Amino acid sequence: MIQIPQRTLMGPGPSDVPARILEALARPTIGHLDPVFLQIMDEIRANLKTVFRTANEMTLAVSGTGSAGMETVCANLIEPGDKVLICINGVFGMRMADVAERCGAVVEKLEAPWGTVFNQKDIIAALDRTKPKILAIVHAETSTGAHQSIDQLGAAAHAAGALFLVDCVTSLGGAPVEIDQWNVDAAYSGTQKCLSCPPGLSPVTLSARAVERILARKTKVQSWYLDLTMVRQYWGQERFYHHTAPINMLYALHEALAIVLEEGLENRWDRHRKNHELLRTGLHSLGIEYVSQEGFHLPMLNAVRIPDGCQDAPTRKRLLEEYDIEIGGGLGIFKGQAWRIGLMGHASTRRNVALLLAALRDILKR
C-alpha cells in the first residue's frame, strides 16, 4: 500500500485542505436526486453567489476542474465565427485563446510581456478597434503572479456590445472578486486554490445577459456534457437529470464555502495580503525578487526569480524531501527561471511563511 505523506502545499495548487473538508468528503454517499443532496446543492449556489459577490441566478459548480469551467463558458457563449478579444500575458491567457479557437471563435489577441499587466485603457482601445462579441481576460495569471485590474472593463465591453468573461481560478476567495460591481458576464474558478477544497469542481457564474446569449444560439453547444441549457435544469427547480453529480466532492465544496463565509470575505482577503507581505519581506532578505510587475503582485501566488547560482529542480526536490514543502516551478518562458510560491486559502498562514523562509535560508546557505 502506498503511504501518502503529509505535505505543506505551497505551490500554485492544489492548496492544503482543512480536516473539516476531508471529513465532509468521507460522509455517506447518497443519490444525486436525494432531497438532502438537493438542499446541499441549493446552499452551494447561495454561498457561491456570496463569494462571487453576485445575484446571478446562473451560478453553479461544474463537474470538472477549473479548465472545465473555462471550456464551459467558452463552449456556451461562443458560436463558430464569433470574434473574441483575448488578453494574453501568460499561460492561462494562451489556454483561453486555444479553447476559444476550438469552439470556432475568430480570436483577436492583445498581448503583454509575461509578468506585466495590461493598462485598462489599452484594452478599451482594442475593444473599439476590433469590435468583438466577447472580451476575455485572466484576473490572476497563475503562471506569472500578475494581478490584473479589471474594474473598468465590463462597462466598456457592454458599451461596445460585447460580453465580459473573466478567469478567476486563482483569485476567488483570496482577493476581491466583484462580479456584479465590475459588470462581469461570465466567470469561472476552481476549488483547489483559495477555497482549499480538493480539485474536481469549477464554480461558474453567468449574468442574465450571458444567459440570453446562450438561449439565442443558432447552433448547439459543442459539448453535451458542459451544455448549460441542460446542466442548469439539474441545478435549477426542474431537477432534470443530466449527469450523476460528484456527490462527495460537492459535500466538500459545501463545507469549504461554509469555512470561507465563517471567516468573512474581507478578513480572508486581508489575511492573504498580510501573509504575502510577510513572505515578500522575508524573500527580499534572501535576495529573492519577484518576476511580476511591481505593484501588481498576487497575494496568493508569489512568482519569484530563482537566485543566481541556485538550481531550480534540485532546490524544490530538497524542500519536498527534507521539509515536506511543495512549491511550483516556472511555466513557459519562466521555466527554470522562477518559482511559484502559493499562499492559498488554508495554507496562507504566518507559520507556513516562517517555515518556508527557514527552509530556503538553510538550503541556500548549504
Side-chain angles (χ1 to χ4, degrees):
M1 175 187 259
I2 296 176
Q3 296 297 313
I4 307 300
Q6 182 70 51
R7 308 287 200 199
T8 299
L9 299 180
M10 299 183 70
S15 61
D16 285 342
V17 179
R20 275 177 59 180
I21 296 174
L22 294 175
E23 289 165 4
L25 274 169
R27 291 171 188 160
T29 303
I30 57 180
H32 60 277
L33 293 174
D34 187 292
V36 174
F37 184 64
L38 297 181
Q39 180 183 346
I40 288 172
M41 290 175 65
D42 287 342
E43 291 182 7
I44 287 172
R45 286 185 68 237
N47 290 342
L48 280 176
K49 287 182 184 181
T50 302
V51 174
F52 272 125
R53 310 275 270 212
T54 185
N56 289 343
E57 279 305 305
M58 177 78 88
T59 302
L60 51 86
V62 170
S63 302
T65 60
S67 293
M70 180 187 291
E71 293 225 25
T72 296
V73 296
C74 286
N76 281 270
L77 293 175
I78 296 171
E79 292 197 78
D82 285 354
K83 187 181 289 187
V84 179
L85 175 60
I86 299 181
C87 304
I88 300 173
N89 59 349
V91 165
F92 294 97
M94 293 173 61
R95 181 175 298 181
M96 196 186 290
D98 187 6
V99 171
E101 286 175 343
R102 291 167 186 256
C103 294
V106 176
V107 173
E108 295 278 351
K109 299 177 182 178
L110 183 65
E111 302 191 52
W114 284 40
T116 69
V117 297
F118 293 92
N119 185 314
Q120 293 188 78
K121 292 180 180 178
D122 293 336
I123 299 173
I124 293 169
L127 263 174
D128 293 337
R129 185 175 65 251
T130 59
K131 296 179 171 46
K133 286 196 171 182
I134 296 173
L135 166 65
I137 196 166
V138 178
H139 183 223
E141 179 51 78
T142 319
S143 64
T144 68
H147 193 175
Q148 176 66 49
S149 298
I150 61 173
D151 58 299
Q152 300 170 28
L153 301 180
H158 293 171
L163 296 178
F164 183 36
L165 189 161
V166 175
D167 176 320
C168 54
V169 168
T170 296
S171 53
L172 188 69
V177 173
E178 302 282 359
I179 296 301
D180 287 356
Q181 184 179 321
W182 295 342
N183 296 294
V184 177
D185 291 300
Y188 56 89
S189 189
T191 50
Q192 75 276 18
K193 308 277 189 176
C194 291
L195 299 182
S196 283
C197 187
L201 293 170
S202 177
V204 167
T205 187
L206 290 97
S207 70
R209 184 191 297 252
V211 174
E212 287 176 13
R213 176 75 63 87
I214 295 171
L215 296 178
R217 290 179 63 97
K218 296 181 177 65
T219 58
K220 279 188 175 183
V221 175
Q222 69 162 10
S223 168
W224 180 91
Y225 185 65
L226 301 177
D227 186 343
L228 289 176
T229 64
M230 294 188 287
V231 174
R232 74 173 188 150
Q233 294 181 69
Y234 174 50
W235 280 85
Q237 295 303 311
E238 303 94 329
R239 302 304 187 187
F240 178 77
Y241 169 71
H242 180 257
H243 67 277
T244 302
I247 292 154
N248 291 61
M249 263 303 300
L250 286 161
Y251 294 165
L253 177 57
H254 184 266
E255 194 67 29
L257 292 170
I259 291 172
V260 170
L261 297 179
E262 285 167 15
E263 181 177 7
L265 280 172
E266 288 82 0
N267 292 336
R268 196 173 182 88
W269 299 337
D270 191 53
R271 172 167 60 85
H272 280 82
R273 179 185 57 78
K274 287 178 177 177
N275 289 325
H276 157 73
E277 291 172 354
L278 191 65
L279 176 65
R280 185 182 175 194
T281 300
L283 291 172
H284 182 72
S285 72
L286 295 175
I288 299 175
E289 303 299 336
Y290 282 65
V291 299
S292 47
Q293 183 176 331
E294 187 60 37
F296 296 92
H297 306 310
L298 285 171
M300 75 292 294
L301 194 286
N302 301 265
V304 299
R305 198 171 302 282
I306 298 171
D308 292 340
C310 181
Q311 293 180 297
D312 174 23
T315 302
R316 288 189 288 113
K317 183 180 179 182
R318 290 183 68 178
L319 280 171
L320 193 67
E321 293 180 350
E322 297 178 21
Y323 295 93
D324 283 315
I325 299 172
E326 177 184 280
I327 66 171
L331 293 179
I333 66 170
F334 287 146
K335 183 176 176 62
Q337 307 297 316
W339 290 323
R340 293 181 298 150
I341 302 171
L343 287 173
M344 298 180 180
H346 190 62
S348 181
T349 65
R350 292 177 63 90
R351 175 188 175 277
N352 282 353
V353 171
L355 178 64
L356 176 64
L357 290 173
L360 280 174
R361 190 173 293 111
D362 177 50
I363 291 172
L364 294 177
K365 182 174 65 176
R366 284 190 277 152

